[in-house]
Amino acid sequence: MHLLSLLIRLLAAGIAAAALGACATVPPHAGSNPVDPWERYNRHMSEFNDRVDAAVIKPVSRAYADYVPDGVRQCVGNVFANAYDVPNALNNVLQGKVTAAAGDVSRVAINSSIGLLGCFDVASRMGLEKSDEDFGQTLGKWGAGPGPYFVLPFLGPSSVRDGAGRVVGFYTNPMGYVDPIRLRNSLWGLNLIDTRVGLFPAERLLDGALDRYQFIRDGYLQRRRSLIYDGNPPRLPDEDEEAARDTGGLQMALQPSVTQAR
């Protein structure tokens, strides 16, 4: 059976199951956090996504990981990574990172040829490091705020800014121009499964979380902020206050003056 047809049928069954059972626990203070004013909606959508994942995406991904040889899965993942190097290069150009953009272009050229469409990551062995850029980061780099946290159906954590970036990312990814359409959609489906397999190790971090939703939200926002500042984000006001408390209140006393100076 065609991969896409199978995924669609399984997804439809998962959606039906999720719609019947999705009922998230929403705390009374939901929506009071300024970064997450739509928390009530977000919690319900997160619950829906989790149920679809548990019913369809995770079992299919687990079967893929169990029955497809490691070498084949690595090749598939490398091909998708090679395709993502194209938007990486475009966003590095838009952010003024010319050297990094040149590295991305070189990676695509080398891996698409010598690496057999990216099946083998020859460029990394040659010392060309892979970057991780998208249009959401580009918008943030040029001063656009993230906007409210927003959980997308099926796609999960995002923000208003990153949601817009996903749309641009779709149209700048070479996979979006593969013909015929059935092959293109099959590639997107396989990419989803491959990405989900890569998230298996991270699931262990959620086991001890008191509030799974909050843990994912805070982790996502922190990671995105770190990416925008290339791993060196400036301190937030609340982080300054926490540091002040840790040093006996001395910095807290000086905080108003620091704030006015800014």
Side-chain angles (χ1 to χ4, degrees), residues 46-235:
S46 293
E47 179 71 15
F48 173 80
N49 287 344
D50 287 344
R51 289 180 179 270
V52 171
D53 178 70
V56 182
I57 301 175
K58 185 175 181 179
V60 174
S61 301
R62 178 61 67 186
Y64 176 74
D66 290 342
Y67 295 105
V68 177
D70 291 345
V72 176
R73 287 191 286 108
Q74 183 175 3
C75 173
V76 170
N78 286 343
V79 170
F80 291 137
N82 185 50
Y84 280 106
D85 275 337
V86 174
N88 280 342
L90 292 174
N91 283 289
N92 271 321
V93 169
L94 293 175
Q95 294 176 33
K97 302 174 183 177
V98 180
T99 302
D104 291 330
V105 172
S106 298
R107 284 183 55 86
V108 173
I110 294 171
N111 286 341
S112 297
S113 55
I114 303 176
L116 302 179
L117 297 180
C119 181
F120 302 100
D121 188 1
V122 179
S124 291
R125 299 174 188 174
M126 297 174 62
L128 292 172
E129 296 184 3
K130 183 176 181 62
S131 61
D132 183 10
E133 303 291 344
D134 55 54
F135 195 66
Q137 294 178 55
T138 298
L139 292 174
K141 198 77 173 183
W142 288 101
Y149 179 69
F150 183 50
V151 178
L152 296 170
F154 308 116
L155 299 178
S158 187
S159 65
V160 173
R161 180 186 63 203
D162 291 344
R166 285 175 183 264
V167 175
V168 176
F170 176 82
Y171 286 103
T172 56
N173 192 310
M175 286 197 301
Y177 300 93
V178 172
D179 282 322
I181 295 178
R182 291 182 63 186
L183 175 58
R184 179 195 314 163
N185 291 339
S186 294
L187 288 174
W188 285 120
L190 184 58
N191 186 25
L192 171 65
I193 295 172
D194 179 73
T195 301
R196 183 62 182 88
V197 170
L199 294 176
F200 283 156
E203 287 185 293
R204 301 171 186 172
L205 298 175
L206 300 175
D207 293 341
L210 296 177
D211 188 335
R212 175 187 174 93
Y213 168 82
Q214 181 177 334
F215 185 86
I216 293 175
R217 179 196 66 194
D218 293 349
Y220 174 83
L221 294 176
Q222 290 173 13
R223 178 178 180 275
R224 292 299 296 176
R225 188 165 184 269
S226 177
L227 286 173
I228 289 172
Y229 289 99
D230 296 326
N232 188 30
R235 296 171 70 92

Side-chain angles (χ1 to χ4, degrees), residues 29-42 147-150 213 217:
H29 62 273
S32 60
N33 190 326
V35 303
D36 191 9
W38 303 331
E39 184 175 349
R40 293 182 181 276
Y41 156 81
N42 285 333
Y149 179 69
F150 183 50
Y213 168 82
R217 179 196 66 194

